[in-house]
Amino acid sequence: MSFVEYGDTIKDGDTAIVFLGHESMFPVKVQHGTVTQTKYGVIRHSADLIGKKYGSKVTCSKGGWVFILHPTPELWTMNLPHRTQILYSTDISIITMMLELKPGSIVCESGTGSGSLSHALIRTVAPTGHLYTVEFHQQRAEKAREEFREHGVEHLVTVTNQDVCKNGFGVSNIADAVFLDIPSPWEAIGHAKSALKAEGGRMCSFSPCIEQVQRTCLAMEEYGFTEINTLEILLRVYNVRTISLQIPDLGKAAEDNSSTGFDSSSPADQGSPCANLQQGAVQFKSGVPLREVVGHTGYLTFATKS
């Protein structure tokens, strides 16, 4: 099993996603002799998972059933254990596009955090690219290494435990892109410039506060970056559903028609809107926004090394 290479069959040691519904799923490490409890009953790994195909419908001990899905960066983002605040797919998608990432790209990232963005970057640059990710917190760095190894992507990523603001990324003039998600990104702009290739490299800084963005933009200008721009992604989801609306009561329409000599019983007038308008309800499809929507997550500042 690998997050960048799809496998058909569930094997011992794989990380799989137990899918109970769109709002209910969780990751599980498949192991011989292990069982997993769900609200539909027990899943026995040896009998119910190992050797089955990903996407299979598995019946639990109480008669309910779940689907077992192959992990992807998007599913991992929704189910990973949170060691820090994470980036979600809405921001990740614009980051990978604006940094112009592709298979073979070299990317530097700080900090690693819970690894949400890291998995997406690895999948984007695979199979010939590489991710250099720096994490200040030692335990988080060690946990990230363990997860990358379990997910079959350790050959595509190098995890370093150090302070990027003081020691940089550990590489020079090779990166196609740099991503910063740290409290004081303006202190790491010089190291980001050093890590980027000679010219044309792209960088992105994620910050939740506009004051951080202002200081970062000033530092980018000081170090000669161009095409500096900041944006914010706000996602608004719509539900398409059937709406029922009452037809308005127009009052004395019939009396008004008779006073003007209009005969609603005449065959020639049966197709008239006034003749067919009756009090009642009409149904139609409509897009309705959700009552609760995700608000501000953070500001994304992009720039190019000139």
Side-chain angles (χ1 to χ4, degrees):
M1 186 278 303
S2 171
F3 271 54
V4 297
E5 296 177 2
Y6 183 80
D8 289 331
T9 307
I10 304 171
K11 299 180 177 64
D12 185 25
D14 282 3
T15 298
I17 305 297
V18 179
F19 180 89
L20 292 81
H22 289 288
E23 302 298 328
S24 180
M25 63 183 88
F26 59 90
V28 62
K29 185 173 182 179
V30 180
Q31 292 178 315
H32 273 295
T34 303
V35 298
T36 297
Q37 294 283 351
T38 74
K39 63 181 180 180
Y40 300 126
V42 172
I43 301 174
R44 297 173 178 83
H45 293 200
S46 298
D48 299 329
L49 299 184
I50 297 176
K52 301 291 181 63
K53 287 185 175 297
Y54 278 107
S56 296
K57 183 178 180 180
V58 174
T59 302
C60 304
S61 61
K62 293 182 181 179
W65 47 266
V66 298
F67 288 103
I68 308 300
L69 306 181
H70 193 285
T72 65
E74 290 77 17
L75 288 175
W76 185 245
T77 291
M78 298 171 63
N79 295 281
L80 58 78
H82 285 224
R83 300 183 288 274
T84 59
Q85 291 290 331
I86 69 169
L87 289 175
Y88 290 91
S89 296
T90 305
D91 287 317
I92 291 173
S93 62
I94 196 72
I95 290 169
T96 55
M97 182 189 75
M98 295 292 287
L99 290 182
E100 302 174 2
L101 301 183
K102 59 187 181 298
S105 296
I106 305 297
V107 186
C108 292
E109 174 198 26
S110 183
T112 311
S114 301
S116 174
L117 176 64
S118 303
H119 282 81
L121 295 177
I122 291 169
R123 195 262 308 273
T124 303
V125 303
T128 56
H130 200 84
L131 172 66
Y132 295 89
T133 183
V134 177
E135 173 56 51
F136 176 79
H137 194 275
Q138 183 178 358
Q139 291 180 335
R140 288 201 292 262
E142 293 173 353
K143 186 61 178 178
R145 288 193 192 98
E146 179 185 341
E147 286 181 349
F148 293 143
R149 183 170 57 254
E150 292 178 351
H151 298 165
V153 296
E154 71 276 9
H155 61 291
L156 296 169
V157 58
T158 299
V159 182
T160 305
N161 173 219
Q162 64 187 30
D163 185 351
V164 70
C165 295
K166 295 180 179 179
N167 307 114
F169 294 93
V171 296
S172 298
N173 301 320
I174 65 170
D176 297 290
V178 170
F179 176 80
L180 297 175
D181 183 5
I182 55 178
S184 52
W186 55 89
E187 296 181 0
I189 300 300
H191 295 297
K193 183 177 181 180
S194 298
L196 286 168
K197 59 187 181 181
E199 60 180 351
R202 295 277 288 167
M203 77 164 295
C204 173
S205 173
F206 176 89
S207 298
C209 302
I210 195 63
E211 292 82 5
Q212 293 171 305
V213 173
Q214 292 169 340
R215 294 190 65 175
T216 302
C217 289
L218 290 174
M220 287 177 173
E221 290 181 346
E222 180 181 344
Y223 279 95
F225 282 88
T226 59
E227 298 179 340
I228 301 172
N229 64 87
T230 300
L231 52 87
E232 179 183 24
I233 306 300
L234 299 178
L235 179 65
R236 191 177 189 188
V237 179
Y238 281 76
N239 278 339
V240 178
R241 63 186 186 186
T242 301
I243 301 296
S244 180
L245 291 180
Q246 198 77 13
I247 296 177
D249 183 4
L250 301 181
K252 299 180 180 181
E255 296 180 6
D256 294 341
N257 290 338
S258 61
S259 64
T260 57
F262 179 79
D263 183 5
S264 60
S265 62
S266 172
D269 296 321
Q270 291 301 317
S272 169
C274 294
N276 291 330
L277 188 59
Q278 298 178 356
Q279 188 174 3
V282 62
Q283 293 184 337
F284 60 95
K285 293 289 185 181
S286 177
V288 180
L290 301 180
R291 292 185 179 181
E292 295 182 0
V293 298
V294 177
H296 170 75
T297 57
Y299 301 103
L300 294 168
T301 301
F302 295 92
T304 302
K305 181 179 179 180
S306 62

